[in-house]
């Protein structure tokens, strides 16, 4: 059942340990296992790490979005006092490129840079300021080239090629029934062009980590990431080391939202540590963070919807061009998601969808919350509103009338699995009471669009209400072997039963360690649970993304607990005989027929440990017509936004955001609400505030002064 | 340079500080107090909030030399002893903590708000905390935590 385990070597640093937590089973809003250390400031994030003899790493980045590199001269920097290493691509001993799906991104650039901020050299020094000054002394001779910054231009046949494979990173085409002949049946047609800008994950904890050489040629990396094993494999490839010589341990993660799926400073820190034989810490500052991780893909979308006069959808034609920027990251999956979610969760008898993903000289784009589905949602829901206006229909009624149901087929051919309560969540959100409409004149400024900027006292302020519904896939799609591994140990310690849960799943703030403990408590009937620090000493848990960990790592923990329980009951039967009835564990005791037959401690002289991999049902890549059982399952959400707009200035105040979502069984309702509320805030930000402004391939607003995140004053 | 200051009630002395270091850097890297966080280092996110001579400041914007002879209280000094401060308890209880990177700043800023206004209105809470960014929670449960702390007479 298990894969080959990595060789356990002595860690170079003491782990923060696994606090034992008590009560709280499935369905309870137990408080977070890491809540107390996080409010006292003791919780150790990757940027907090420190070791004796530690050096600071820093990264030299290209100032140009597109340029040839003719030479790199590091001699002056190397000669500086306090500088221990200056490394370039020549110092990368293994594979000189990396990437999760397509290894197309240089660890350190050679010959060519393809985006502004691309790493060219790295430095290790005894003080971060010395490292920064050393970067200024590295002399790079560039020949500046024209950047290719328009995705639509980039996918044209005659565009200059940014990669040998050309500029079309992926093209997905979905052909469902026959739009051509169905078009005649449409009595009402609406067309629209939509654009979504580049959004930043803006996690607060900067990219950071500590690499520690083990003295035997290997390295330990203490790191914030979303997937330890995929990092480990890429790092090992580039270091030219076998995977077991590169050990990763998750350090405190200050948010992720997709922005930590790709590597940032991981390989650089390990290279510097192995080169200097000293621990090396790297921490990006906020400006660097904007260059150091991928962003949400900007999208241009063209839509044409046809419907009957009674509001029945007849066909859709959609064309997406997504800007992937300089390197592939997770663009392949984003392109597929955009295509499969382009039509919305509606019965759509005929559909033609084209989704293109382009390489450009813009910043690389990749994973951010709901990738592909978010862009598509803005397109299909704007179209539904437009169609409702054209039909003279209530926009919610139009959506309900066309809502997809279990047993229908999505335009990409997959049967809609149950549950798919699209109509129900729309009805529920519509039925929620509307927020009171207070007189606008004479209000506290903080309750008006523009707030304390004092742009209106109520004149020109109008209220508006909008509805939307969205859906996305849960888990990895298109044939990916999407598994997780859990090791569960049951023992008696200090006279009381204790369950240890060990996975490599990244807790990034969502509350997974609390959920793992809740699952183990419920499954094994034992109150005391310790969730060990995630590391590569246990098999892969897959990525903390695609809303998959509660389900997949949660599933692995559950299965491992079942395996442990089975072995426990074997021991009980050996003790009490085969006819000991239906056994269960309650409050640390073995129970049969409602009566305690044995305390757990009596059969646990030796601990029981099981390691199990869990997989969800398989998925398949789409065929040439974009048809197939591409996704595992789907989540659906309906929203209502009540806003007040200063129609003269275009300023918006969000009065209320209401939502009804199909969430399945809530393992921890409080944590789940936190996910919904946080996701909603990021949606509000995308709609009203957030956009990375890119001009000629250069980011114009790489700071929290200029990239606007929602604050307490922006949220309803 | 040499720096002398009082941190969380204790006299501290730091040698060979480079003049360009911020108070935040000194706290985190030289005094072993990494609770104050380094999310933006330009005074926009509030995650490095500390008290300096009783005034709430972004420690990233204070040059270390400016802290000479001052009294600094960080998130590590908010609780007295092993017990959590009621503001901290409220944050845990209300589910106001997710990744937690903004939490130390919010705890100090909430402490400052309730010290000044033990029963703040909703608008006062929002305005007082508008300089603290959180990317995980959407603020809903942070606002709950502040209300809970106020109800319980945290300060």
């Amino acid at each position: 059942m298990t894969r080959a385990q990595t060789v356990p070597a002595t860690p170079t640093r003491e782990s923060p340990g696994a606090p034992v937590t008590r009560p709280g089973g499935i369905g309870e809003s137990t408080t977070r296992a890491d809540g107390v250390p996080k409010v006292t400031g003791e919780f150790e994030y990757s940027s907090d790490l420190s070791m004796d003899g530690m050096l600071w790493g820093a990264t030299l980045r290209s100032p140009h979005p597109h340029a040839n590199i003719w030479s790199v001269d590091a001699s002056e920097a190397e000669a500086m006092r306090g500088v221990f290493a200056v490394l370039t691509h020549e110092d990368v001993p293994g594979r000189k490129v990396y990437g999760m799906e397509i290894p197309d991104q240089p660890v350190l650039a050679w010959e060519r840079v393809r985006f502004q901020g691309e790493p060219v050299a790295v430095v290790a020094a005894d003080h971060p300021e010395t490292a920064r000054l050393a970067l200024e002394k590295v002399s790079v001779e560039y020949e500046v080239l024209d950047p290719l910054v328009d995705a639509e231009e980039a996918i044209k046949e005659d565009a200059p090629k940014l990669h040998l494979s050309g500029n079309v990173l992926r093209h997905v085409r979905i052909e469902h029934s026959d739009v051509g002949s169905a078009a005649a049946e449409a009595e009402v047609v609406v067309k629209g062009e939509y654009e979504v800008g580049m959004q930043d994950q803006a996690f607060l904890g900067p990219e950071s980590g500590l690499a520690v050489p083990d003295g035997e040629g290997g390295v330990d990396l203490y790191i914030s990431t979303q997937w330890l094993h995929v990092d480990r494999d890429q790092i090992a490839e580039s270091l030219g080391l076998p995977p077991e010589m590169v050990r990763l341990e998750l350090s405190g993660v200050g948010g992720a939202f997709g922005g930590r799926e790709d590597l940032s400073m991981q390989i650089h820190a390990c290279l510097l540590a192995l080169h200097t034989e000293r621990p090396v810490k790297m921490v990006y500052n906020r400006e660097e963070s904007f260059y150091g991780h991928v962003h949400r893909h900007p999208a241009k979308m063209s839509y044409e919807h046809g419907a009957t006069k009674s509001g029945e959808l007849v066909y859709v034609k959609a064309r997406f061009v997504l800007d992937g920027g300089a390197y592939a990251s997770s663009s392949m999956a984003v392109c597929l998601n955009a295509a499969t979610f382009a039509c919305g969760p509606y019965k759509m008898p005929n559909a033609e969808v084209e989704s293109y993903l382009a390489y450009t000289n813009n910043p690389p784009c990749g994973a951010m919350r709901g990738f592909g589905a978010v862009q598509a949602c803005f397109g299909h829901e704007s179209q539904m509103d437009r169609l409702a206006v054209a039909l003279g229909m209530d926009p919610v009624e139009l959506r309900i009338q066309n809502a997809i149901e279990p047993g229908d087929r999505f335009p990409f051919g997959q049967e809609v699995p149950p549950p798919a309560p699209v109509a129900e969540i729309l009805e529920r959100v519509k039925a929620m009471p509307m927020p009171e409409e207070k007189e606008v004149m004479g209000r506290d400024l903080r309750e008006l669009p523009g707030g304390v900027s004092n742009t209106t006292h109520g004149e020109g302020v109008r209220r508006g209400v909008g509805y939307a519904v969205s859906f996305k896939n849960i888990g990895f799609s298109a044939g990916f072997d999407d598994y997780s591994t859990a090791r569960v140990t049951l023992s008696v310690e200090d006279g009381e039963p204790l369950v240890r849960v060990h996975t490599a799943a990244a807790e990034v703030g969502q509350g997974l360690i609390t959920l793992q403990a809740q699952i183990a408590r419920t499954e094994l009937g034992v109150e005391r649970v310790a969730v060990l620090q995630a590391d590569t000493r246990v098999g892969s848990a897959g990525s903390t993304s695609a809303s998959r960990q509660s389900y997949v790592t949660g599933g692995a923990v559950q299965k491992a607990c079942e395996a442990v329980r089975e072995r426990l009951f074997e021991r009980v039967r050996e003790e009490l005989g085969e006819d000991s009835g239906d056994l269960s564990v309650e409050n640390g005791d073995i129970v049969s027929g409602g009566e305690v037959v044995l305390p757990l401690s009596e059969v646990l002289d030796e601990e029981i440990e099981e390691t199990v991999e869990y997989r969800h049902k398989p998925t398949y890549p789409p065929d040439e017509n974009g048809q197939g059982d591409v996704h595992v399952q789907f989540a659906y959400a309906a929203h209502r936004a009540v806003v007040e707009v200063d129609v003269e200035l275009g300023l918006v105040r969000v009065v209320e955001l209401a939502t009804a979502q199909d969430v399945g069984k809530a393992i921890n309702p409080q944590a789940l609400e936190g996910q919904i509320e946080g996701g909603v805030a990021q949606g509000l930000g995308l709609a009203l505030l957030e956009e990375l402004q890119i001009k000629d391939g250069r980011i114009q607003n790489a700071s929290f002064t200029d990239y606007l995140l929602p604050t307490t004053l922006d949220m309803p | 340079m040499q720096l002398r200051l009082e941190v969380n009630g204790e006299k501290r002395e730091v040698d060979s500080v480079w003049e360009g270091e911020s108070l935040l850097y000194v706290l985190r890297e030289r005094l072993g107090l990494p609770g104050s966080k380094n999310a933006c280092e330009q005074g926009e996110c509030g995650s490095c909030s500390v008290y300096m001579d009783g005034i709430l400041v972004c420690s990233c914007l204070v040059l270390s030399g400016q802290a000479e002879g001052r009294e600094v209280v960080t998130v590590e000094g908010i609780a007295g002893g092993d017990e959590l401060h009621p503001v901290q308890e409220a944050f845990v209880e209300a589910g106001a903590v997710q990744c937690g990177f903004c939490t130390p700043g919010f705890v100090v800023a909430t402490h400052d708000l309730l010290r000044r206004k033990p029963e703040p209105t909703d608008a006062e809470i929002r305005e007082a905390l508008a300089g603290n960014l959180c990317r995980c929670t959407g603020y809903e449960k942070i606002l709950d935590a502040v209300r809970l702390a106020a109800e319980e007479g945290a300060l």
Side-chain angles (χ1 to χ4, degrees), chain B residues 40-80:
Chain B
C40 80
E41 293 177 272
Q42 55 178 169
E44 294 289 351
C45 74
S47 66
C48 63
S49 299
V50 300
Y51 284 113
M52 187 164 74
D53 284 354
I55 295 169
L56 186 71
V57 295
C58 285
S59 58
C60 71
L61 295 184
V62 177
L63 210 52
S64 52
Q66 293 176 290
E68 172 72 22
R70 308 286 194 120
E71 288 174 21
V72 174
V73 178
T74 70
V75 67
E76 288 96 339
I78 291 289

Side-chain angles (χ1 to χ4, degrees), chain A residues 280-364:
Chain A
V280 174
K281 169 163 149 173
M282 292 185 90
V283 183
Y284 290 178
N285 67 24
R286 181 53 52 183
E287 183 187 12
E288 187 172 21
S289 176
F290 277 100
Y291 295 102
H293 63 252
V294 299
H295 311 288
R296 185 187 299 291
H297 289 74
K300 288 189 178 175
M301 304 174 281
S302 319
Y303 271 97
E304 180 180 319
H305 275 69
T308 64
K309 274 184 191 159
S310 61
E312 203 174 310
L313 293 172
V314 177
Y315 75 92
V316 64
K317 284 205 268 191
R319 182 175 183 273
F320 283 39
V321 179
L322 297 143
D323 185 348
Y327 296 105
S329 180
S330 46
S331 280
M332 301 291 278
V334 175
C335 187
L336 179 65
N337 275 16
T340 52
F341 301 129
C343 305
Y346 301 114
K347 294 174 198 286
M348 190 64 76
N350 305 280
E352 242 176 57
V353 179
E354 301 268 7
S355 176
Y356 290 92
L357 220 144
Y359 277 127
T360 66
N361 291 117
N362 287 322

